[in-house]
mmCIF file of all heavy atoms in Angstrom:
data_model
loop_
_atom_site.group_PDB
_atom_site.id
_atom_site.type_symbol
_atom_site.label_atom_id
_atom_site.label_comp_id
_atom_site.label_asym_id
_atom_site.label_seq_id
_atom_site.Cartn_x
_atom_site.Cartn_y
_atom_site.Cartn_z
ATOM 1 N N ALA K 12 -7.705 -12.147 1.354
ATOM 2 C CA ALA K 12 -6.567 -12.694 1.925
ATOM 3 C C ALA K 12 -6.821 -13.544 3.247
ATOM 4 O O ALA K 12 -6.216 -14.513 3.553
ATOM 5 C CB ALA K 12 -5.480 -11.664 2.195
ATOM 6 N N VAL K 13 -7.851 -13.040 4.002
ATOM 7 C CA VAL K 13 -8.251 -13.724 5.209
ATOM 8 C C VAL K 13 -8.660 -15.114 4.908
ATOM 9 O O VAL K 13 -8.351 -16.080 5.629
ATOM 10 C CB VAL K 13 -9.338 -12.927 5.979
ATOM 11 C CG1 VAL K 13 -9.955 -13.742 7.046
ATOM 12 C CG2 VAL K 13 -8.794 -11.596 6.471
ATOM 13 N N ILE K 14 -9.447 -15.274 3.867
ATOM 14 C CA ILE K 14 -9.926 -16.605 3.449
ATOM 15 C C ILE K 14 -8.721 -17.495 3.123
ATOM 16 O O ILE K 14 -8.722 -18.707 3.394
ATOM 17 C CB ILE K 14 -10.934 -16.469 2.265
ATOM 18 C CG1 ILE K 14 -12.077 -15.632 2.713
ATOM 19 C CG2 ILE K 14 -11.358 -17.828 1.778
ATOM 20 C CD1 ILE K 14 -13.039 -15.312 1.578
ATOM 21 N N ALA K 15 -7.767 -16.952 2.454
ATOM 22 C CA ALA K 15 -6.638 -17.754 1.989
ATOM 23 C C ALA K 15 -5.744 -18.153 3.124
ATOM 24 O O ALA K 15 -5.015 -19.135 3.000
ATOM 25 C CB ALA K 15 -5.849 -16.972 0.920
ATOM 26 N N GLY K 16 -5.681 -17.440 4.234
ATOM 27 C CA GLY K 16 -4.811 -17.789 5.306
ATOM 28 C C GLY K 16 -4.105 -16.617 5.900
ATOM 29 O O GLY K 16 -3.935 -15.571 5.253
ATOM 30 N N ALA K 17 -3.605 -16.786 7.113
ATOM 31 C CA ALA K 17 -2.919 -15.667 7.850
ATOM 32 C C ALA K 17 -1.694 -15.205 7.040
ATOM 33 O O ALA K 17 -1.378 -14.057 7.031
ATOM 34 C CB ALA K 17 -2.539 -16.204 9.245
ATOM 35 N N GLY K 18 -0.909 -16.164 6.479
ATOM 36 C CA GLY K 18 0.302 -15.803 5.783
ATOM 37 C C GLY K 18 0.002 -14.921 4.585
ATOM 38 O O GLY K 18 0.689 -13.920 4.386
ATOM 39 N N ALA K 19 -1.030 -15.310 3.842
ATOM 40 C CA ALA K 19 -1.419 -14.518 2.652
ATOM 41 C C ALA K 19 -1.864 -13.143 3.121
ATOM 42 O O ALA K 19 -1.675 -12.090 2.450
ATOM 43 C CB ALA K 19 -2.528 -15.181 1.878
ATOM 44 N N LEU K 20 -2.576 -13.029 4.291
ATOM 45 C CA LEU K 20 -3.083 -11.800 4.792
ATOM 46 C C LEU K 20 -1.950 -10.891 5.146
ATOM 47 O O LEU K 20 -1.989 -9.660 4.759
ATOM 48 C CB LEU K 20 -3.936 -12.035 6.043
ATOM 49 C CG LEU K 20 -4.377 -10.750 6.815
ATOM 50 C CD1 LEU K 20 -5.181 -9.942 5.914
ATOM 51 C CD2 LEU K 20 -5.141 -11.182 8.089
ATOM 52 N N ALA K 21 -0.964 -11.376 5.729
ATOM 53 C CA ALA K 21 0.255 -10.546 6.110
ATOM 54 C C ALA K 21 0.925 -9.951 4.885
ATOM 55 O O ALA K 21 1.281 -8.785 4.813
ATOM 56 C CB ALA K 21 1.270 -11.366 6.924
ATOM 57 N N ALA K 22 1.048 -10.807 3.893
ATOM 58 C CA ALA K 22 1.706 -10.344 2.622
ATOM 59 C C ALA K 22 0.847 -9.325 1.960
ATOM 60 O O ALA K 22 1.333 -8.314 1.457
ATOM 61 C CB ALA K 22 1.983 -11.580 1.680
ATOM 62 N N SER K 23 -0.463 -9.544 1.908
ATOM 63 C CA SER K 23 -1.326 -8.608 1.278
ATOM 64 C C SER K 23 -1.389 -7.288 2.041
ATOM 65 O O SER K 23 -1.399 -6.240 1.393
ATOM 66 C CB SER K 23 -2.765 -9.198 1.232
ATOM 67 O OG SER K 23 -3.670 -8.346 0.616
ATOM 68 N N SER K 24 -1.355 -7.310 3.330
ATOM 69 C CA SER K 24 -1.401 -6.090 4.136
ATOM 70 C C SER K 24 -0.121 -5.275 3.881
ATOM 71 O O SER K 24 -0.178 -4.016 3.794
ATOM 72 C CB SER K 24 -1.506 -6.385 5.607
ATOM 73 O OG SER K 24 -2.687 -7.122 5.884
ATOM 74 N N ALA K 25 1.026 -6.014 3.782
ATOM 75 C CA ALA K 25 2.261 -5.284 3.547
ATOM 76 C C ALA K 25 2.207 -4.557 2.158
ATOM 77 O O ALA K 25 2.633 -3.427 1.975
ATOM 78 C CB ALA K 25 3.394 -6.263 3.566
ATOM 79 N N LEU K 26 1.695 -5.356 1.181
ATOM 80 C CA LEU K 26 1.553 -4.708 -0.156
ATOM 81 C C LEU K 26 0.626 -3.560 -0.190
ATOM 82 O O LEU K 26 0.981 -2.510 -0.781
ATOM 83 C CB LEU K 26 1.049 -5.840 -1.127
ATOM 84 C CG LEU K 26 0.776 -5.353 -2.558
ATOM 85 C CD1 LEU K 26 2.099 -4.852 -3.219
ATOM 86 C CD2 LEU K 26 0.211 -6.511 -3.411
ATOM 87 N N ALA K 27 -0.501 -3.654 0.549
ATOM 88 C CA ALA K 27 -1.455 -2.580 0.579
ATOM 89 C C ALA K 27 -0.846 -1.345 1.232
ATOM 90 O O ALA K 27 -1.073 -0.216 0.812
ATOM 91 C CB ALA K 27 -2.724 -2.995 1.328
ATOM 92 N N GLN K 28 -0.071 -1.596 2.305
ATOM 93 C CA GLN K 28 0.584 -0.484 3.038
ATOM 94 C C GLN K 28 1.585 0.206 2.139
ATOM 95 O O GLN K 28 1.653 1.422 2.066
ATOM 96 C CB GLN K 28 1.262 -0.987 4.337
ATOM 97 C CG GLN K 28 1.937 0.117 5.115
ATOM 98 C CD GLN K 28 2.513 -0.400 6.367
ATOM 99 O OE1 GLN K 28 2.567 -1.625 6.622
ATOM 100 N NE2 GLN K 28 2.987 0.447 7.245
ATOM 101 N N THR K 29 2.360 -0.626 1.397
ATOM 102 C CA THR K 29 3.348 -0.027 0.409
ATOM 103 C C THR K 29 2.700 0.827 -0.672
ATOM 104 O O THR K 29 3.053 1.895 -0.973
ATOM 105 C CB THR K 29 4.155 -1.115 -0.227
ATOM 106 O OG1 THR K 29 4.866 -1.840 0.744
ATOM 107 C CG2 THR K 29 5.197 -0.556 -1.192
ATOM 108 N N GLN K 30 1.549 0.278 -1.197
ATOM 109 C CA GLN K 30 0.819 0.976 -2.166
ATOM 110 C C GLN K 30 0.204 2.315 -1.665
ATOM 111 O O GLN K 30 0.219 3.332 -2.304
ATOM 112 C CB GLN K 30 -0.301 0.108 -2.707
ATOM 113 C CG GLN K 30 0.172 -1.043 -3.555
ATOM 114 C CD GLN K 30 -0.962 -1.969 -4.063
ATOM 115 O OE1 GLN K 30 -1.966 -2.055 -3.312
ATOM 116 N NE2 GLN K 30 -0.780 -2.685 -5.129
ATOM 117 N N ALA K 31 -0.292 2.269 -0.366
ATOM 118 C CA ALA K 31 -0.864 3.420 0.218
ATOM 119 C C ALA K 31 0.219 4.499 0.413
ATOM 120 O O ALA K 31 -0.027 5.726 0.193
ATOM 121 C CB ALA K 31 -1.466 3.043 1.535
ATOM 122 N N GLN K 32 1.433 4.093 0.862
ATOM 123 C CA GLN K 32 2.518 5.024 1.078
ATOM 124 C C GLN K 32 2.897 5.725 -0.236
ATOM 125 O O GLN K 32 3.112 6.853 -0.338
ATOM 126 C CB GLN K 32 3.686 4.356 1.739
ATOM 127 C CG GLN K 32 3.474 3.943 3.143
ATOM 128 C CD GLN K 32 4.630 3.078 3.735
ATOM 129 O OE1 GLN K 32 5.375 2.516 2.956
ATOM 130 N NE2 GLN K 32 4.653 2.961 4.967
ATOM 131 N N THR K 33 3.006 4.860 -1.308
ATOM 132 C CA THR K 33 3.336 5.380 -2.630
ATOM 133 C C THR K 33 2.308 6.367 -3.128
ATOM 134 O O THR K 33 2.635 7.417 -3.626
ATOM 135 C CB THR K 33 3.466 4.180 -3.635
ATOM 136 O OG1 THR K 33 4.420 3.298 -3.172
ATOM 137 C CG2 THR K 33 3.844 4.739 -5.009
ATOM 138 N N THR K 34 1.028 6.002 -2.931
ATOM 139 C CA THR K 34 -0.085 6.947 -3.286
ATOM 140 C C THR K 34 0.032 8.264 -2.557
ATOM 141 O O THR K 34 -0.161 9.293 -3.123
ATOM 142 C CB THR K 34 -1.420 6.261 -3.123
ATOM 143 O OG1 THR K 34 -1.482 5.058 -3.829
ATOM 144 C CG2 THR K 34 -2.524 7.241 -3.492
ATOM 145 N N ALA K 35 0.252 8.129 -1.265
ATOM 146 C CA ALA K 35 0.333 9.359 -0.411
ATOM 147 C C ALA K 35 1.510 10.241 -0.876
ATOM 148 O O ALA K 35 1.384 11.431 -0.952
ATOM 149 C CB ALA K 35 0.484 8.981 1.066
ATOM 150 N N GLN K 36 2.696 9.551 -1.142
ATOM 151 C CA GLN K 36 3.841 10.339 -1.631
ATOM 152 C C GLN K 36 3.567 11.035 -2.917
ATOM 153 O O GLN K 36 3.959 12.146 -3.155
ATOM 154 C CB GLN K 36 5.078 9.424 -1.676
ATOM 155 C CG GLN K 36 5.525 8.898 -0.372
ATOM 156 C CD GLN K 36 6.599 7.847 -0.474
ATOM 157 O OE1 GLN K 36 6.935 7.381 -1.636
ATOM 158 N NE2 GLN K 36 7.131 7.406 0.616
ATOM 159 N N THR K 37 2.872 10.278 -3.826
ATOM 160 C CA THR K 37 2.585 10.843 -5.123
ATOM 161 C C THR K 37 1.635 12.011 -5.030
ATOM 162 O O THR K 37 1.775 13.101 -5.638
ATOM 163 C CB THR K 37 1.931 9.733 -6.028
ATOM 164 O OG1 THR K 37 2.865 8.694 -6.174
ATOM 165 C CG2 THR K 37 1.641 10.359 -7.424
ATOM 166 N N THR K 38 0.632 11.864 -4.177
ATOM 167 C CA THR K 38 -0.355 12.935 -3.958
ATOM 168 C C THR K 38 0.287 14.152 -3.284
ATOM 169 O O THR K 38 -0.029 15.263 -3.697
ATOM 170 C CB THR K 38 -1.523 12.406 -3.045
ATOM 171 O OG1 THR K 38 -2.121 11.245 -3.645
ATOM 172 C CG2 THR K 38 -2.592 13.486 -2.849
ATOM 173 N N ALA K 39 1.212 13.870 -2.343
ATOM 174 C CA ALA K 39 1.788 14.958 -1.631
ATOM 175 C C ALA K 39 2.796 15.754 -2.452
ATOM 176 O O ALA K 39 3.145 16.929 -2.135
ATOM 177 C CB ALA K 39 2.424 14.485 -0.341
ATOM 178 N N ALA K 40 3.410 15.107 -3.442
ATOM 179 C CA ALA K 40 4.423 15.684 -4.215
ATOM 180 C C ALA K 40 3.852 16.968 -5.004
ATOM 181 O O ALA K 40 2.893 16.734 -5.709
ATOM 182 C CB ALA K 40 5.058 14.682 -5.221
ATOM 183 N N PRO K 41 4.516 18.092 -4.870
ATOM 184 C CA PRO K 41 3.999 19.276 -5.609
ATOM 185 C C PRO K 41 4.165 19.141 -7.115
ATOM 186 O O PRO K 41 5.146 18.565 -7.562
ATOM 187 C CB PRO K 41 4.826 20.425 -5.072
ATOM 188 C CG PRO K 41 6.175 19.715 -4.607
ATOM 189 C CD PRO K 41 5.710 18.367 -4.106
ATOM 190 N N VAL K 42 3.154 19.569 -7.869
ATOM 191 C CA VAL K 42 3.287 19.529 -9.313
ATOM 192 C C VAL K 42 3.958 20.726 -9.769
ATOM 193 O O VAL K 42 3.601 21.971 -9.460
ATOM 194 C CB VAL K 42 1.844 19.490 -9.958
ATOM 195 C CG1 VAL K 42 1.916 19.555 -11.467
ATOM 196 C CG2 VAL K 42 1.108 18.304 -9.446
ATOM 197 N N PRO K 43 5.106 20.613 -10.420
ATOM 198 C CA PRO K 43 5.908 21.797 -10.824
ATOM 199 C C PRO K 43 5.112 22.631 -11.915
ATOM 200 O O PRO K 43 4.454 22.115 -12.796
ATOM 201 C CB PRO K 43 7.161 21.202 -11.563
ATOM 202 C CG PRO K 43 6.754 19.776 -11.864
ATOM 203 C CD PRO K 43 5.758 19.341 -10.876
#
């Protein structure tokens, strides 16, 4: 994304952060 430009970097970072949060929530959720 850095190569593509600052705007693409911001969008990619936001997506990565969202994915990381989702992964963390999924990992933290107890398995019944």
